Amino acid sequence: MTTGREATAPVPPGADTAARAGVGTAADTGAGTGTRTAAGAGTRAGTGATAGPGAVATGEGAPSRRARSTAYLLTLALVGALLAVSLVSAGYGAYDIPLGDVIASVQHRTGLGGQPLDRVGESVLWNVRLPRVVLALLVGASLGCAGALMQGVFGNPLAEPGIIGISAGAAVGAVCAIALGLSFLGNWTVTVCAFVSGLATVLLVYAMSRSGGKTEVVTLILTGIAVNAFAGALIGLFVFFADNAQITQITFWQLGSLSQATWPKVLAVLPCAALGLVIAPLYARRLDLLALGERPARHLGVDVERLRVVLVLVVALLTAAAVAVAGIITFVGLLVPHLLRMMNGPVHRFLVPASALGGALMLAAGDLAARTVAEPAELPLGVLTALFGSPFFFWLLRRTRRRQGGWA
């Protein structure tokens, strides 16, 4: 496992000035300097080649222009695909609504012309389909962005939000509320319990990992693994004592689904998702510097410990909110940032917002497939993402290993 301490080479003179000027650090361009850094590893995984010692981009050369052009094209492609999938998802299902009618109804509701549908069509579109589409976009964007942040904080492209126990902790809260029949907040009880439990779990993991005023990445990961195991045991106990109806509800929630999407649930996740998605890109440049290693990042003015605290809390906010309304959905936060890193390198100024777009696209497309592939039945969304994500990620692992000639 790659940690931030692997790159401990001394910082060359002028690196601080170059970093502040926005020119020529390995984290910004993915170009190697002869030192094996996390940024360089990400570049090798993404492109299968490592730039030579002199390949430091200055912001004016062709490699930098190509990287920016690729980033713009990928962003436009993601936005276009996201709009297309959203429109198709809003119109296609057990009750089909033509694409033109969907656009006309949206225009009518927003005061841009158009015309309303018939009573049944309006009800299906605005009370069933659109809440589900919007919730899929918010949950997918939250999980994708959280995955990019986790991989940047841990310096490992194989990291994902559940590694520090957020998903398992949220599951414990939700399963506890279901098994004990809690209803102190009405229909919001399970959602609120999952959200609070997820945040409390990540704070517990961080507190247990902290020693001497510092938090080591390896300790944080190992603590998260232990907490995940403990959370799994608690879930097993709750399931053991639950009745058949509660077991069915628990199982469906654990498998992940957006079938219960409503506008109130959209409004519940919106503040957390919006806050996390706005804060995350602000730390992109510091994540690029952290990719050089902890010691070089500190020399360049990055408060590494504070950066980790803030980003872990942002990840907890995004993941707990997503899990609370949609259940446990895996592989979004793992696959999306990894694929984008392969396409355009490890630069977080592109990777963080693009991962949000990619996560939203993946979950919107996955939800469309989940409710249409086996009509009139509906497949659990979490099962579908894991079913297709697992072999695809296995292929990525073998591809990366083959190109690097091994993991050593």
Side-chain angles (χ1 to χ4, degrees), residues 9 72 75 88 99 105 111 123 143 188 225 305 358 364 380 392 401:
Y72 292 146
T75 302
V88 172
L99 182 59
S105 180
S123 178
L143 294 176
W188 290 97
I225 291 172
E305 187 65 20
F392 188 62
R401 184 179 185 274

Side-chain angles (χ1 to χ4, degrees), residues 297-372:
R298 289 193 180 97
H299 284 305
L300 294 172
V302 177
D303 188 337
V304 175
E305 187 65 20
R306 181 180 178 183
L307 178 65
R308 283 201 182 122
V309 171
V310 172
L311 292 184
V312 165
L313 289 177
V314 171
V315 169
L317 187 68
L318 291 169
T319 308
V323 172
V325 296
I328 299 176
I329 299 175
T330 57
F331 278 98
V332 177
L334 185 66
L335 274 179
V336 172
H338 194 72
L339 286 173
L340 292 171
R341 190 180 292 106
M342 290 172 63
M343 294 178 186
N344 197 57
V347 182
H348 287 88
R349 283 172 291 181
F350 163 78
L351 188 61
V352 172
S355 294
L357 292 174
L361 175 60
M362 180 177 177
L363 211 62
D367 184 57
L368 175 61
R371 62 182 176 81
T372 57

Side-chain angles (χ1 to χ4, degrees), residues 244-269:
N244 289 335
Q246 291 171 338
I247 290 175
T248 301
Q249 189 179 358
I250 290 170
T251 302
F252 189 73
W253 189 90
Q254 282 187 288
L255 295 177
S257 174
L258 297 174
S259 62
Q260 305 298 320
T262 59
W263 287 118
K265 285 195 174 183
V266 171
L267 294 177
V269 73

Side-chain angles (χ1 to χ4, degrees), residues 134-175:
V134 174
L135 192 62
L137 298 181
L138 288 175
V139 171
S142 298
L143 294 176
C145 182
L149 294 179
M150 287 292 291
Q151 293 172 12
V153 168
F154 290 153
N156 191 326
L158 305 183
E160 58 98 20
I163 200 171
I164 54 175
I166 306 171
S167 298
V172 168
V175 171

Side-chain angles (χ1 to χ4, degrees), residues 72-226:
Y72 292 146
L73 290 175
L74 284 173
T75 302
L76 290 175
L78 287 171
V79 172
L82 194 57
L83 289 174
V85 170
S86 299
L87 289 173
V88 172
S89 183
Y92 186 68
Y95 184 90
D96 285 337
I97 304 173
L99 182 59
D101 291 349
V102 172
I103 297 174
S105 180
V106 172
Q107 287 177 327
H108 176 73
R109 290 289 184 110
T110 54
L112 299 176
Q115 59 184 8
L117 306 176
D118 59 80
R119 184 176 59 84
V120 176
E122 282 284 296
S123 178
V124 169
L125 178 62
W126 291 95
N127 297 329
V128 179
R129 297 273 174 78
L130 286 181
R132 186 162 181 161
V133 170
V134 174
L135 192 62
L137 298 181
L138 288 175
V139 171
S142 298
L143 294 176
C145 182
L149 294 179
M150 287 292 291
Q151 293 172 12
V153 168
F154 290 153
N156 191 326
L158 305 183
E160 58 98 20
I163 200 171
I164 54 175
I166 306 171
S167 298
V172 168
V175 171
C176 175
I178 295 170
L180 299 181
L182 302 181
S183 59
F184 56 90
L185 292 175
N187 293 332
W188 290 97
T189 304
V190 174
T191 300
V192 171
C193 286
F195 181 72
V196 172
S197 180
L199 287 180
T201 301
V202 78
L203 291 175
L204 175 65
V205 169
Y206 195 83
M208 293 174 63
S209 306
R210 192 173 177 84
S211 177
K214 293 183 180 181
T215 305
E216 293 184 350
V217 171
V218 174
T219 306
L220 193 66
I221 293 174
L222 293 177
T223 305
I225 291 172

